[in-house]
Amino acid sequence: MSERHLVVVTGPGWGHVIPCVLIALKFAQRAPNLQVTLAAFPDTYSKLDEEMSRRHRETSLEVVSRVQWLEIKNELETDSRTPYEMFFLGLMVPSNQAGNTIGNRLKVPPSLVIYDTAVETIPTQSIVRGISNEFNIPYAPCLYLAPVLSAGSLRLNGKTEHGGRYESFFESLKENEDKGLSPSEAGRKAFAQMNGELLETPDLPPMYDYELHPGLYGRGFPARITPRVRAVLEARLSSDGFVTFGVEEIEPKSNELLRKTLAPMPLFAIGPQLDLQRWTEQSPKSRKGRSAAELGILEFLDKAQDSFGAKSTAYFCLGSQWWPEDRPELIQYLVETLLEAKPALPFLVSASAAGASLSEELRSRVEASGRGMIVSWAPQVAVLQHEAIRFFISHCGSGSTIEAIMAGVPIVAWPFTADQPMWATIICRVYSAGVQLYQVNSGMKGRPLAVGGIVHETEEAIKEEMTSTWSIMRSSKYDEMRGQISKLRDLLLESTERGETKKAMDSVVETYLS
């Protein structure tokens, strides 16, 4: 069997790096003839290097010997080629032909390229096609990776007739620009498209269109996002295939409609990438090799368990990309209600998101309470497995949600945008494994909610909902939530090990890597 070569290009943030690493390693394990290159741009490479250095110590030597990870270096730019073009040139063309300087120690030209949605402004497929034509070498098919549920991809990439919104984005954008709105605000309004339409979202209960972007007005919307939207649509149209973290057993209708949108392009719904090895190795019972900061967090949870009992502690984290920067009072209300909870509620706050900030006064109050801790980063897998943790206040990003499901920890959902509201709905409304916060929503004051009630956006309403939620998460309903999230975990494991997710992964190998 001839050697094959998979290239995976990751986007920024841990929520992109870790899944891309897992995809690469899982395909390498499935295909013993496969060589793998993982690549990242300079602002992300340190994360990739850190993750792969750890994996190199933990993964089978036979597998890691077939994997290289490279930085797409800015200094490789020439008068005629960008660093990204030079990167692919180095992988695809022998150095004596192209004069490139990329160190492709694998010596096998690419057979397949999977590139993350976060690099969609760079025309990956056209770069690979152009080099192939220029040097008269075989073309490597390019698959577009959207590391979200298929329902999220359908909403972002689908045709209008299938419930998608990108095709109408540009019309809305022009209308907003003609009204004199700034590029940032025009883009945000066009992206959200809050028209008050009650959507019959596939596989999910009805939601108003604005409920799909509940936190979009709580943080800045960079003007650079606007051209990325067009690039996303163009990337979807030009790719040779589409990969999502969709789960056929959870969202069959979304996958069906997304296939119709993409046809004849194939869809591979490979499911969220479960990292069972890391899950085992990150047990909080193991303290060997941990940093002083990690030990401090785990020791805090040990003390919380000793003082308040097992399943006593709340954990809060909005991931590495999301924080209500334009509404800092929301974090204040959150911490104040946690401090005021009766009976006393211990809690851990991880402010790891870009732009995250808390006032010194609030930090002092938490420290003085003796039952709260604020950190800039937490070893989340270990934290969620700790016996002290009762519930997880989360933005419901794919990675965080899957980690909570694997830990069997019910979720208090605080979604912002993308597929986060969909995960929140699956957890809280479809599986009844958590509670969603609605009064923290931004930009929809006075608007009704599909579940009933109205968003008020007042301090009183927000604190009342938070206080009520902490009580619900400590009531008799909690055991039911744990039972439901365990059912969801079993479903994901079954899909990964024997079901549709496994079939999709095998299909990629059979189609491109055998």
Side-chain angles (χ1 to χ4, degrees):
M1 184 180 294
S2 62
E3 288 187 315
R4 309 289 281 171
H5 184 179
L6 169 65
V7 179
V8 180
V9 184
T10 180
W14 288 112
H16 293 262
V17 171
I18 292 175
C20 282
V21 168
L22 286 171
I23 287 171
L25 293 178
K26 286 181 180 181
F27 281 132
Q29 290 164 350
R30 274 176 159 81
N33 63 317
L34 184 64
Q35 308 289 327
V36 176
T37 294
L38 275 153
F41 290 87
D43 59 349
T44 304
Y45 181 74
S46 61
K47 292 184 175 68
L48 175 60
D49 185 52
E50 179 181 338
E51 183 67 13
M52 282 307 301
S53 296
R54 185 180 66 79
R55 298 281 176 176
H56 205 275
R57 297 190 298 269
E58 299 171 356
T59 308
S60 158
L61 287 177
E62 191 281 325
V63 171
V64 296
S65 70
R66 294 185 276 120
V67 180
Q68 66 176 354
W69 56 102
L70 303 174
E71 180 180 357
I72 302 168
K73 297 182 179 180
N74 286 334
E75 62 265 26
L76 294 177
E77 186 167 5
T78 69
D79 291 339
S80 59
R81 300 189 195 274
T82 67
Y84 200 40
E85 289 174 308
M86 290 297 293
F87 165 75
F88 276 107
L89 192 72
L91 293 180
M92 296 172 66
V93 183
S95 58
N96 59 353
Q97 283 185 251
N100 64 76
T101 57
I102 292 286
N104 179 15
R105 67 171 176 80
L106 301 181
K107 308 301 183 185
V108 180
S111 309
L112 176 67
V113 177
I114 298 177
Y115 63 102
D116 192 296
T117 180
V119 297
E120 75 285 306
T121 52
I122 302 171
T124 302
Q125 191 268 357
S126 64
I127 288 174
V128 176
R129 176 73 70 183
I131 294 174
S132 175
N133 291 339
E134 180 181 350
F135 291 91
N136 193 28
I137 56 179
Y139 168 71
C142 297
L143 305 185
Y144 177 92
L145 170 64
V148 296
L149 288 167
S150 291
S153 287
L154 178 65
R155 179 71 179 174
L156 296 176
N157 295 277
K159 296 177 181 177
T160 303
E161 64 190 273
H162 299 142
R165 284 294 181 268
Y166 268 17
E167 292 180 324
S168 60
F169 170 86
F170 304 104
E171 180 181 343
S172 178
L173 177 65
K174 186 177 186 307
E175 290 176 359
N176 295 330
E177 289 174 336
D178 290 344
K179 293 176 182 177
L181 297 179
S182 68
S184 176
E185 186 61 14
R188 176 157 56 180
K189 288 180 71 68
F191 186 76
Q193 296 188 45
M194 297 178 177
N195 302 315
E197 178 185 358
L198 186 64
L199 304 174
E200 296 293 333
T201 306
D203 306 304
L204 299 175
M207 289 186 287
Y208 286 103
D209 53 7
Y210 46 79
E211 292 186 83
L212 291 173
H213 306 286
L216 199 61
Y217 279 76
R219 68 192 297 265
F221 188 85
R224 67 178 182 274
I225 294 294
T226 302
R228 284 181 61 182
V229 174
R230 184 183 299 277
V232 165
L233 181 59
E234 292 173 350
R236 186 263 289 173
L237 294 172
S238 66
S239 292
D240 301 297
F242 202 98
V243 180
T244 73
F245 287 174
V247 182
E248 201 76 47
E249 292 87 343
I250 293 177
E251 44 175 358
K253 295 178 182 176
S254 295
N255 280 306
E256 179 184 356
L257 288 175
L258 188 55
R259 286 191 173 92
K260 289 181 178 179
T261 273
L262 298 172
M265 182 191 304
L267 168 66
F268 302 96
I270 65 172
Q273 298 302 292
L274 306 183
D275 190 355
L276 301 182
Q277 178 181 334
R278 182 175 181 227
W279 192 260
T280 301
E281 292 166 349
Q282 287 293 305
S283 169
K285 295 179 181 179
S286 173
R287 307 292 164 97
K288 185 178 179 180
R290 294 194 180 275
S291 67
E294 288 179 297
L295 289 173
I297 292 168
L298 295 178
E299 288 166 4
F300 167 78
L301 294 176
D302 292 341
K303 292 177 182 177
Q305 182 176 350
D306 291 341
S307 299
F308 298 93
K311 303 292 181 288
S312 61
T313 305
Y315 170 52
F316 170 77
C317 181
L318 297 178
S320 61
Q321 302 292 320
W322 301 96
W323 194 264
E325 299 167 28
D326 293 349
R327 298 188 67 194
E329 72 275 10
L330 295 178
I331 302 299
Q332 174 124 359
Y333 300 158
L334 171 91
V335 174
E336 287 177 349
T337 56
L338 290 171
L339 285 169
E340 295 164 3
K342 303 295 182 184
L345 174 61
F347 61 91
L348 171 66
V349 171
S350 175
S352 56
S357 62
L358 295 97
S359 69
E360 288 304 316
E361 184 271 339
L362 199 61
R363 289 177 181 273
S364 296
R365 287 181 60 188
V366 169
E367 185 175 354
S369 74
R371 55 184 175 81
M373 185 179 194
I374 298 174
V375 297
S376 59
W377 178 85
Q380 186 158 288
V381 171
V383 167
L384 288 171
Q385 290 186 85
H386 198 287
E387 281 297 313
I389 297 298
R390 187 173 185 86
F391 60 92
F392 180 20
I393 308 163
S394 171
H395 67 306
C396 288
S398 180
S400 291
T401 303
I402 296 305
E403 288 170 356
I405 292 171
M406 290 298 295
V409 174
I411 291 175
V412 173
W414 183 343
F416 284 73
T417 188
D419 69 335
Q420 299 160 21
M422 296 174 182
W423 266 122
T425 301
I426 289 170
I427 294 293
C428 300
R429 296 178 63 188
V430 177
Y431 282 87
S432 300
V435 176
Q436 183 167 345
L437 299 175
Y438 293 101
Q439 295 302 323
V440 295
N441 293 357
S442 300
M444 57 186 74
K445 186 175 183 178
R447 290 181 180 266
L449 297 162
V451 295
I454 293 173
V455 178
H456 299 287
E457 292 193 25
T458 63
E459 178 179 354
E460 180 183 10
I462 294 166
K463 285 187 170 182
E464 181 180 346
E465 181 182 52
M466 287 179 173
T467 299
S468 173
T469 299
W470 314 153
S471 295
I472 291 171
M473 300 306 290
R474 305 167 87 187
S475 72
S476 59
K477 294 182 180 180
Y478 178 77
D479 288 338
E480 296 174 18
M481 293 182 195
R482 281 186 61 85
Q484 287 298 104
I485 207 159
S486 294
K487 287 182 181 178
L488 190 52
R489 177 185 58 203
D490 294 343
L491 185 154
L492 291 178
L493 287 171
E494 175 67 22
S495 182
T496 299
E497 295 170 359
R498 288 173 288 277
E500 296 302 319
T501 293
K502 180 182 183 300
K503 291 178 183 178
M505 292 285 286
D506 291 343
S507 181
V508 173
V509 173
E510 293 164 4
T511 304
Y512 303 104
L513 302 174
S514 296

